[in-house]
Amino acid sequence: MRITQGCFSFLPDLSDSQIAAQINYCLEQEWAVAIEFTDDPHPRNTYWNMWGLPMFDLRDPAGVMGELKACREANPENYIRINAFDSTKGWETVRMSFIVQRPTAEPGFRLIRQETQGRNLRYTMESYAVGRNPEGARYAG
Amino acid sequence: MNAPENAPATRIDLAAEFRDAGIGEVLDTLERDLVGLAPVKRRVREIAALLLVDRVRQRLGLATEHPSLHMSFSGNPGTGKTTVAMRMAEILHRLGYCRRGHVVAVTRDDLVGQYIGHTAPKTKEVLKRAMGGVLFIDEAYYLYRPENEKDYGQEAIEILLQVMENQRDDLVVILAGYADRMERFFESNPGMKSRIAHHVDFPDYGDDELGEIAERMLASWNYRFDEDARRAFDDYIVLRRRQPHFANARSIRNALDRMRLRQALRLFESGATVDAEALTTITEADVRASRHFQPDEAADALPERAAPATNT
């Protein structure tokens, strides 16, 4: 099941030149661009691993693309996303976030139904990938 | 910069191409705003012409290597290296060899870290900031410290070399510094020398050129010399040049700053009412009050504080 989080996730995967164009837009808005990766695709997992520090004062997407390339090489079967942070007073938040790499096979989520008092049901989502292997080996091979 | 998409044209009007690129304006302002520096202006013109011709050749379908644009500017302090680097960035930008045309000016401190493992991220961060523009490394020879084999400068040089080679269309590196030390730097780093295509030498300014620079600086601050002051300033330049730490245009600017101070004090102490004429005029007395005109001063002079090494 294809994970849909952030911008553009209902579109086909962006090509590198499309990614660079989006980063260019972010830089033109004077947002700081950061790269993050994870192998836990749960939508509530907001704490992805940072790939280096957020990049401030960049003028051109080439710098980010270089880091993205390095991140892809180091984390081939992981999710990688690009965040653009707006530090303008009043915003001070991530204004744009999109996935730029995903594992080749995304097994999706299992819905766990827990029966509780009465006939109530509690629902939990668990990713098959997370359940099958420990962190770091979830999507390998 | 890749192969042309449209069918190659057969004839191209170079003059029109030159106009469209808008580099004429940049070259003209370079010619107009900078006094002297004839050999530098010539080199900049040559480089601009080469790039323009290269671009036209590509349109005609003649294969050209992406030209190596890294440069080295060598010359004494205050000869306009930083200013020319800014103009160069603009020319490269207009010709499309540099996507943004901004200049990131750094020195050793910005590239080299203080402990093991600090240098690479620091250098890479600077390189990322400079992508799409020009990285101007002032006093580049300080990167290499042969007397200390554990110096981290070598690491910065290696990262620089790698990027200069692999990302030639993302980044143009300009190294700047004193001529003799740059020469020694290149001798000990042949890899660096071979990756730099354009070596531009900045000559010292002549006395009359410095006088003209002084007038222009004053004009830009809304000041002017009266006639006697202008003559006194010519004498000043001759005297100042003999002193140590003479830094061409930068020394001139410092001298003018001191003369403005003296003028302000003179007006203040005279206590009279002033008009715009008095406020803008620097007189002979303001110039001649300089230390360099004191006759006995040459012998036991306090060495003037060294001109600041960094450009301001």
Side-chain angles (χ1 to χ4, degrees), chain B residues 23-39:
Chain B
I23 47 172
E25 289 163 42
V26 188
L27 289 175
D28 285 346
T29 49
L30 188 77
E31 198 74 40
R32 211 173 38 239
D33 297 355
L34 298 184
V35 178
L37 291 180

Side-chain angles (χ1 to χ4, degrees), chain B residues 236-237 239-259 262 290-293 297-308:
Chain B
Y236 173 85
I237 292 169
L239 289 171
R240 179 66 187 88
R241 191 186 281 284
R242 288 193 216 125
Q243 301 292 318
H245 305 301
F246 176 66
N248 287 289
R250 203 172 301 146
S251 290
I252 297 300
R253 194 181 54 204
N254 294 345
L256 292 178
D257 274 335
R258 288 191 296 269
M259 284 164 200
R262 286 194 284 270
S290 164
R291 257 189 319 103
H292 299 291
F293 285 109
E297 197 260 346
D300 57 346
L302 290 159
E304 183 181 339
R305 237 179 308 143

